[in-house]
Amino acid sequence: MLKFYDREFSSRLLIGSALYPSPAIMQAAIRASGAQIVTVALRRESAGGKTGDAFWSLIRELDVTVLPNTAGCRSVREAVTTAKLARELFGTPWIKLEVIADNDTLQPDVVGLVEAADILIKDGFEVFPYCTEDLGVAMRLVDAGCKVVMPWAAPIGSAKGVINRDALKLLRDRLPDITLVVDAGLGAPSHAAQAFELGYDAVLLNTAIAKAADPVAMASAFKSGVEAGRTAYEAGLMEARDFASPSTPVIGTPFWHAVS
């Protein structure tokens, strides 16, 4: 089972609720993914009026756990304020914390992220920080009280997959007791499988499903990729080798010769 703070889940795929062609397709894709946690941007939900009410009604029908996020926030003050509004609106201490440093890459402001996480945790929040794959940043987030860390595989929406495998593997090795989620940059089910093969506990994605020609089918494909990657990790992957190793060794193997 996957554990986030004091709650357990059977699905290891977290999914976003933005960018879908229609609300109905969003709902169908989330169901096909098997995800039990859905991220929701406060800015979208708090727009109010009939649109906001209809969107929230669709989310409630899915019977999922909502993980509100501070998407689009570019300062510590803005992120903290948005998180507090989200707690009031959704009635949850959970917050996916984003503090963005650059408009083009959407790279996290790691200094502001650690500061905001520290403020929110002291205020009773359970923080899911979106960060880079930097070990030092991850360790500071853990020191601040984060029990979950969410490094990117690649920039948001880039679909490049894991671009720094060694750094992600180092995070896993050095933070064995922390729930680690690969968040952002995954573009194919094989990318998700690779994250699990590195030992990660879950993946979070949105664009790769929402922008697919068939989001519902793609959601199902990612579900299968997640399951395959996790099963492979638990089964024990063989180590890569520099040289060939015959699958049918000949040394010490008897040979049978026909006798005329």
Side-chain angles (χ1 to χ4, degrees), residues 55-100:
F55 174 78
W56 183 228
S57 178
L58 287 172
I59 295 296
R60 284 200 300 266
E61 288 175 7
L62 290 167
D63 191 28
V64 293
T65 296
V66 171
L67 174 59
N69 67 36
T70 63
C73 291
R74 286 170 168 75
S75 70
V76 172
R77 180 178 180 181
E78 186 181 13
V80 169
T81 299
T82 301
K84 291 180 178 180
L85 290 172
R87 180 168 60 182
E88 182 177 344
L89 180 63
F90 295 106
T92 176
W94 280 17
I95 192 72
K96 180 189 171 188
L97 181 61
E98 298 182 24
V99 183
I100 301 301

Side-chain angles (χ1 to χ4, degrees), residues 52-217:
D53 291 342
F55 174 78
W56 183 228
S57 178
L58 287 172
I59 295 296
R60 284 200 300 266
E61 288 175 7
L62 290 167
D63 191 28
V64 293
T65 296
V66 171
L67 174 59
N69 67 36
T70 63
C73 291
R74 286 170 168 75
S75 70
V76 172
R77 180 178 180 181
E78 186 181 13
V80 169
T81 299
T82 301
K84 291 180 178 180
L85 290 172
R87 180 168 60 182
E88 182 177 344
L89 180 63
F90 295 106
T92 176
W94 280 17
I95 192 72
K96 180 189 171 188
L97 181 61
E98 298 182 24
V99 183
I100 301 301
D102 180 72
N103 291 334
D104 294 325
T105 64
L106 299 180
Q107 180 167 323
D109 173 357
V110 294
V111 175
L113 180 69
V114 173
E115 182 181 348
D118 184 62
I119 293 170
L120 291 172
I121 288 169
K122 288 176 179 176
D123 194 29
F125 281 87
E126 295 177 340
V127 177
F128 294 64
Y130 162 62
C131 60
T132 62
E133 71 278 30
D134 185 273
L135 176 61
V137 172
M139 292 175 69
R140 283 170 173 78
L141 288 167
V142 171
D143 289 342
C146 294
K147 296 182 180 179
V148 179
V149 176
M150 305 175 73
W152 68 0
I156 295 173
S158 68
K160 290 185 175 181
V162 175
I163 59 176
N164 195 341
R165 182 186 183 280
D166 290 342
L168 287 179
K169 184 66 167 62
L170 180 62
L171 278 181
R172 179 70 288 173
D173 292 343
R174 294 291 298 275
L175 300 173
D177 300 322
I178 299 299
T179 301
L180 295 180
V181 183
V182 168
D183 177 15
L186 302 180
S190 58
H191 297 163
Q194 184 181 9
F196 283 99
E197 290 166 2
L198 291 174
Y200 276 69
D201 299 290
V203 297
L204 192 160
L205 60 134
N206 189 169
T207 310
I209 291 176
K211 289 296 187 179
D214 186 340
V216 178

